[in-house]
Amino acid sequence: QVQLMESGGGSVEAGGSMRLSCIVSGSTYNDYCMGWFRQAPGKEREGVASIDSLGRTIYADSVAGRFAISQDNAKNTLYLQMNSLKPEDTDMYYCAADVREYCTLADENWDDYWGRGTQVTVSS
């Protein structure tokens, strides 16, 4: 079993930057997907970015070129660097983990482990 805990959220003005962290603890796997998702109340959950055990990354079109996902295995931490933030980036951001070899951002594929979320607010 895996536990995930997000941090780093807060409030920032449009155009600013923010870095989210997700501390990962528990079981380890050879093949895995780690991802960041975001969701506002009453809205559909959106896959933001993913990274697999080999460091391969996938980004949603809405954040490509602005966000960067990375992992530091020595620190057991997943990161999401967010630059050029826009008001539409305002959401609760969640860290997720899934035990599989190949990653996508399809929501239905992520059903193993989730963090509690961290709020990101971007003012206009």
Side-chain angles (χ1 to χ4, degrees):
Q1 65 105 30
V2 174
Q3 287 186 300
L4 308 172
M5 182 177 293
E6 305 93 336
S7 64
S11 181
V12 67
E13 294 184 357
S17 297
M18 191 175 296
R19 190 189 197 193
L20 306 182
S21 299
C22 174
I23 300 174
V24 184
S25 62
S27 301
T28 59
Y29 302 91
N30 291 326
D31 301 318
Y32 63 83
C33 298
M34 300 291 299
W36 289 97
F37 294 77
R38 60 189 184 184
Q39 186 175 28
K43 299 294 185 180
E44 293 292 320
R45 186 168 61 195
E46 177 189 13
V48 175
S50 71
I51 188 168
D52 66 15
S53 54
L54 296 178
R56 298 173 294 194
T57 59
I58 301 172
Y59 295 95
D61 290 342
S62 58
V63 306
R66 298 188 298 121
F67 290 10
I69 188 171
S70 62
Q71 59 189 346
D72 187 335
N73 290 333
K75 297 181 179 179
N76 297 316
T77 303
L78 178 75
Y79 301 100
L80 183 67
Q81 178 66 47
M82 304 183 294
N83 300 321
S84 301
L85 283 162
K86 305 174 181 179
E88 50 263 44
D89 295 319
T90 295
D91 267 316
M92 185 74 75
Y93 283 70
Y94 298 89
C95 175
D98 213 73
V99 183
R100 50 186 158 94
E101 184 176 4
Y102 300 104
C103 302
T104 73
L105 292 181
D107 181 76
E108 63 269 21
N109 292 333
W110 299 77
D111 59 2
D112 287 345
Y113 305 102
W114 289 87
R116 297 291 298 273
T118 185
Q119 178 67 41
V120 172
T121 301
V122 183
S123 60
S124 59

